[in-house]
Amino acid sequence: MELAILVIVVIVALAFDFTNGFHDTANAMAPSVATGALKPKPAVALSASLNLVGAFLSIEVARTVGSGIVDLTGVDGEQLMLIVLCGLTGAIVWNVLTWLFGLPSSSSHALFGGLIGATIAALGITGVLWGGVSQKILIPALFAPVIAGFVAFVGTWLVHRVTRNIGERAEQRSFRWGQIGAASLMSLAHGTNDAQKTMGVIFLALVAHGTLDPDADMPLWVRVACAVAIAAGTYMGGWRVIRTLGKGIVDISPRQGMSADFSSASIILTSSHLGLPLSTTHVASGSVIGSGLARDDVNVRWSVARRMLVAWIITLPAAGAVGAVCLLITNIFDHFWGAVVVTTILIVACTIMWLRSRLSPVGHHNVTDEWEQPKGERKREIDRELSAVASGIAPVSRPRKRKRQRGKNSPQRGM
Amino acid sequence: MFDLGVLLVAVASVLGVGVLLGAGIPLIYALGIRAQESRRPSSNAVSAALMIVCVLLALGGIVVIIFGDAIFVG
């Protein structure tokens, strides 16, 4: 039965890796897709290939994930595997839910949150190494978007200063290759950081099963399986999140897109080297906001950014709560049937969310459509403009023609 | 175990490399674009040289970051 539980854990871990890939495609490719530097399908294909390569380049982060977050000394193998399974379940449910709402939340935090929640439910509050949690998760979560935003702000500001006399057509043409290069580097960086997290979790399960010693090297099959899973997920393209990051926060220009991607890539590659499991989502979102702030003529949509921030804050406790509930459910049954029931719940939950997503499909055909503000916000904006005109602050402007939505009548497909 | 010193060094490294590569490469690329658009004599050569510097910096960054321990520590 222990082997059967191990097989379930490995399959669910690879499923998490897959969701991590499609949730995070946006981090690398959203700016390039939004500015038209790359068509959506080639963008995700390029990103998937480079994620595959990146997964083989470094295992520093995998080592970090496998240790220092939860205290698992004295826990028997089967229980440890159940903790990992429930943690992964919490992470997948949160990933799919935030994808449904198009929110770029952190897969890494979902994973850590799930593991922490399941550990608390199994071993109590003392089962979590809070020092490690602060050092490896909480404090980097505060620093990552701020540093990324600062670097992207500086980069975008410098690029605008240097190229302020270049026309729009020249900008589109000239910065296209820079953007593609930066997005490729970002995809590579993502592979070096995020594929490692699942490797670390599978390694933990293999150690719990007794297949591996804690000091053993990462088996090749684990590296290959994780690399393929994250690349496949990336190729599926989490179009909802790409749309929010590329179009929702700020109407990004090629110069901004390139600066944001270079900022994210350099930060993630450095953190991979240092073994810091930074959230690539936090870094990429921070970079996009930073590049938006560097231009006076571009508005950052703070309502979207606020929703994203709320999702970031509740990711850890929400995934933890799901992980904890799953572990309590497994306690009702024996270990094997507990694992089967939790996996079944996971499949049912994901199927329901996927079916819900079909009601408002976002795919490669409509990912770059103009961003529609919610009605309430649009009304407030019109009210502000009207009151500015009435008080003589702003001149009366001719109403702008609304752009016709592309792909409105195109076939409904995609994710 | 919480080690503030290690964390601060890591954050400073991320910030330092981020500013150097993350803001430096776009700046050099932009200088290359400006040279290309200026249509002065030899602007194409300057532009090409700056683009090559960008590519080399990106590749160098990847090599140092990924194989840094093997190269510098042995």
Side-chain angles (χ1 to χ4, degrees):
Chain A
M1 284 301 165
E2 211 172 64
L3 182 65
I5 297 173
L6 176 68
V7 171
I8 292 174
V9 171
V10 171
I11 291 170
V12 173
L14 293 175
F16 166 76
D17 210 18
F18 181 86
T19 64
N20 190 347
F22 85 70
H23 205 283
D24 287 8
T25 316
N27 297 344
M29 287 302 165
S32 306
V33 171
T35 59
L38 278 169
K39 295 267 180 248
K41 274 287 183 187
V44 293
L46 177 67
S47 183
S49 318
L50 289 162
N51 264 287
L52 189 74
V53 174
F56 291 100
L57 292 180
S58 166
I59 55 162
E60 293 300 323
V61 173
R63 289 193 187 121
T64 309
V65 172
S67 64
I69 306 291
V70 286
D71 182 13
L72 300 168
T73 46
V75 183
D76 75 85
E78 279 194 14
Q79 194 182 14
L80 176 51
M81 284 193 283
L82 280 183
I83 290 172
V84 171
L85 177 68
C86 295
L88 286 166
T89 304
I92 294 174
V93 168
W94 184 251
N95 262 358
V96 179
L97 186 69
T98 47
W99 160 77
L100 180 64
F101 288 108
L103 288 172
S105 80
S106 166
S107 303
S108 323
H109 282 205
L111 174 62
F112 290 130
L115 285 176
I116 290 169
T119 305
I120 291 174
L123 309 173
I125 205 106
T126 52
V128 180
L129 300 170
W130 294 105
V133 171
S134 306
Q135 182 161 352
K136 291 178 177 172
I137 304 170
L138 298 179
I139 297 176
L142 294 176
F143 278 114
V146 177
I147 292 176
F150 174 73
V151 172
F153 179 90
V154 173
T156 308
W157 187 82
L158 288 171
V159 168
H160 270 275
R161 291 286 296 172
V162 168
T163 59
R164 62 180 177 273
N165 295 326
I166 289 177
E168 200 172 317
R169 273 187 67 188
E171 181 190 347
Q172 289 285 352
R173 190 184 63 240
S174 308
F175 280 96
R176 183 167 179 254
W177 287 107
Q179 257 204 292
I180 293 171
S184 303
L185 196 61
M186 175 62 185
S187 296
L188 192 79
H190 186 264
T192 64
N193 199 295
D194 273 38
Q196 316 300 321
K197 289 163 190 161
T198 312
M199 287 182 205
V201 169
I202 294 178
F203 188 85
L204 198 63
L206 291 170
V207 169
H209 181 253
T211 310
L212 287 179
D213 285 334
D215 301 326
D217 285 335
M218 185 67 69
L220 182 64
W221 71 265
V222 176
R223 298 179 75 168
V224 171
C226 289
V228 170
I230 203 164
T234 307
Y235 184 71
M236 288 295 289
W239 301 109
R240 290 168 180 275
V241 189
I242 291 180
R243 181 159 165 70
T244 305
L245 205 54
K247 287 293 203 182
I249 302 175
V250 62
D251 287 318
I252 210 161
S253 73
R255 283 181 273 212
Q256 286 171 299
M258 185 188 74
S259 303
D261 273 345
F262 269 121
S263 159
S264 304
S266 60
I267 287 167
I268 292 165
L269 278 172
T270 317
S271 66
S272 296
H273 173 63
L274 296 169
L276 272 180
L278 279 193
S279 161
T280 49
T281 307
H282 290 183
V283 172
S285 308
S287 293
V288 169
I289 292 173
S291 69
L293 289 173
R295 281 182 63 183
D296 297 334
D297 55 335
V298 174
N299 284 332
V300 175
R301 292 189 187 94
W302 289 110
S303 59
V304 180
R306 263 197 304 276
R307 269 176 55 204
M308 225 166 63
L309 186 67
V310 170
W312 290 1
I313 291 168
I314 62 172
T315 293
L316 211 71
V322 177
V325 168
C326 288
L327 200 111
L328 294 176
I329 291 171
T330 62
N331 285 344
I332 300 170
F333 307 93
D334 68 13
H335 284 166
F336 172 71
W337 285 108
V340 171
V341 169
V342 164
T343 310
T344 309
I345 291 171
L346 173 65
I347 292 168
V348 170
C350 289
T351 308
I352 290 169
M353 288 188 274
W354 180 74
L355 288 173
R356 176 68 185 77
S357 77
R358 308 301 296 167
L359 297 177
S360 55
V362 179
H364 61 87
H365 57 290
N366 64 352
V367 70
T368 52
D369 284 358
E370 287 304 311
W371 184 263
E372 288 265 338
Q373 280 178 300
K375 271 183 186 169
E377 274 171 38
R378 217 160 49 226
K379 189 174 173 301
R380 274 197 297 276
E381 198 173 283
I382 291 167
D383 286 347
R384 267 199 303 275
E385 281 178 16
L386 283 175
S387 58
V389 169
S391 58
I393 296 169
V396 181
S397 58
R398 287 172 63 191
R400 279 178 296 176
K401 255 188 179 175
R402 282 184 66 189
K403 282 189 181 174
R404 186 181 292 179
Q405 274 194 333
R406 267 186 294 147
K408 202 172 179 180
N409 300 319
S410 53
Q412 297 197 338
R413 60 180 181 237
M415 301 194 71
Chain B
M1 185 68 85
F2 187 84
D3 190 338
L4 186 64
V6 171
L7 184 66
L8 286 177
V9 169
V11 169
S13 308
V14 170
L15 181 61
V17 176
V19 171
L20 278 177
L21 292 182
I25 296 176
L27 174 63
I28 296 171
Y29 188 87
L31 288 169
I33 297 292
R34 190 167 79 169
Q36 193 180 37
E37 296 292 320
S38 70
R39 300 181 199 288
R40 286 187 198 132
S42 79
S43 63
N44 276 347
V46 173
S47 169
L50 287 170
M51 297 297 176
I52 289 169
V53 170
C54 278
V55 173
L56 289 178
L57 273 177
L59 290 177
I62 295 172
V63 169
V64 169
I65 285 166
I66 293 168
F67 305 107
D69 285 344
I71 295 168
F72 298 117
V73 182

